[in-house]
Amino acid sequence: MKNPYYPIDTVVEDIITETPTIKTFCLKPVRPIEFRAGQFMQLTVPGVGEAPFTPSSDPNVSERMEITILKTGKITDALHDLKPGAAVGLRGPFGKGYPLDRLVGKEVLVVGGGVGLAPLRALIYALFDDPSRYERISIKYGARCPEELCFRRQYDEWSRIAPNVDLTVTIDVPAPAWDGRVGLVTTLLDDLDINLDESYALSCGPEIMLKFVTLKLLEVGYKPPQIYLSMNRKMSCGMGKCGRCNVGHYYLCVDGPDMCYDKIKHVPNVFG
């Protein structure tokens, strides 16, 4: 019987520095790994441990996988110290992923903050696979400063990929040589020119950002069933066995990690 806890041997082919604290790891597993946008993997650093991360790469590519990681603790510190050629392990994918079927024909609002754009990048690739399937794809993204903007090299490409795609970027506070929008990402949700009755919003970022993005979306007219939040936290076994990632009676590793707000809105301290 196949052991679900045994990782797939994987090599780090390349490492891209996105920001001073965020790197994208380009991984080559010994066998293809198919995944859906929003599903997560357990990434193992031998001798250190494993941690959950959502791929940031195109779900249509199974031979290679990119995972974008913020340096924030023991395992991520070890990952940031790796060099190309290093051996790691991958276990998964786990979770359900984003509800792409529900987005067909709708105006899709994607809201990201900081490294939260990493899981959303896989979603963006999936949407860009055929943008004509959606009425509109509107991406709103914010970071504290220009140096912390992820995937900045791709913004022009994303903005031009189809007529029904738009991208707006903001930073929290003014910065030298920055002539773009300034303000929290929630300010990009003011005066939305979106048909709210025919829209879904999907958001990923720090929990405090998710809280205020959700409140803002409700304020401007979205209903809880139209809001999906990436609740990437405390996932471990990936199979609903260890009980670390439950939100109410849901297990994020099985039922999420992207949860419809309507299902979890009544859970105390849902935003941590």
Side-chain angles (χ1 to χ4, degrees):
M1 180 178 176
K2 185 179 177 183
N3 186 342
Y5 292 99
Y6 196 83
I8 300 168
D9 292 337
T10 299
V11 172
V12 178
E13 284 196 328
D14 195 12
I15 301 172
I16 302 169
T17 298
E18 305 286 354
T19 79
T21 56
I22 299 172
K23 291 182 178 180
T24 293
F25 296 82
C26 307
L27 308 174
K28 170 70 173 172
V30 294
R31 59 178 173 82
I33 301 176
E34 296 184 355
F35 69 98
R36 299 189 297 275
Q39 287 189 301
F40 72 96
M41 304 293 299
Q42 288 286 0
L43 175 56
T44 300
V45 182
V48 181
E50 70 171 13
F53 301 101
T54 301
S56 57
S57 53
D58 189 341
N60 290 316
V61 178
S62 59
E63 292 80 11
R64 287 176 171 77
M65 178 181 292
E66 294 180 1
I67 298 180
T68 302
I69 297 170
L70 171 68
K71 186 176 183 179
T72 185
K74 177 183 174 183
I75 295 176
T76 58
D77 288 354
L79 282 162
H80 274 242
D81 288 339
L82 294 179
K83 306 296 181 187
V88 294
L90 286 169
R91 197 164 61 83
F94 300 109
K96 291 185 176 178
Y98 293 107
L100 287 169
D101 288 346
R102 292 190 180 186
L103 308 183
V104 175
K106 304 295 184 181
E107 298 199 28
V108 183
L109 176 65
V110 179
V111 186
V115 75
L117 188 60
L120 294 174
R121 185 183 185 225
L123 170 65
I124 290 168
Y125 278 127
L127 297 172
F128 286 177
D129 189 44
D130 186 359
S132 67
R133 299 184 72 201
Y134 314 96
E135 183 65 23
R136 180 179 173 187
I137 302 169
S138 184
I139 305 167
K140 314 292 187 186
Y141 175 57
R144 287 186 294 184
C145 60
E147 293 77 18
E148 295 186 8
L149 292 168
C150 272
F151 315 122
R152 198 169 173 177
R153 63 188 180 283
Q154 295 187 278
Y155 296 168
D156 288 343
E157 173 193 349
W158 291 356
S159 298
R160 294 194 302 262
I161 201 158
N164 62 334
V165 174
D166 60 87
L167 167 67
T168 309
V169 175
T170 185
I171 59 172
D172 289 357
V173 295
W178 175 260
D179 59 358
R181 295 282 296 263
V182 175
L184 300 176
V185 71
T186 49
T187 65
L188 302 183
L189 306 180
D190 289 322
D191 304 319
L192 281 175
D193 57 340
I194 282 179
N195 180 0
L196 297 180
D197 291 336
E198 296 295 327
S199 177
Y200 280 97
L202 306 99
S203 185
C204 186
E207 287 188 337
I208 189 67
M209 188 213 84
L210 286 182
K211 175 181 179 179
F212 285 100
V213 164
T214 301
L215 293 174
K216 189 68 177 182
L217 290 170
L218 294 171
E219 177 187 321
V220 302
Y222 279 87
K223 303 293 188 297
Q226 296 174 280
I227 301 171
Y228 281 81
L229 306 173
S230 295
M231 310 292 288
N232 294 285
R233 64 183 186 188
K234 300 180 181 177
M235 297 170 297
S236 183
C237 70
M239 292 168 280
K241 302 294 185 184
C242 70
R244 290 185 53 187
C245 65
N246 59 300
V247 173
H249 64 275
Y250 295 105
Y251 288 97
L252 294 178
C253 68
V254 176
D255 303 305
D258 311 295
M259 297 294 299
C260 179
Y261 181 61
D262 195 46
K263 292 184 176 181
I264 58 175
K265 62 184 180 183
H266 301 300
V267 177
N269 301 317
V270 65
F271 294 109

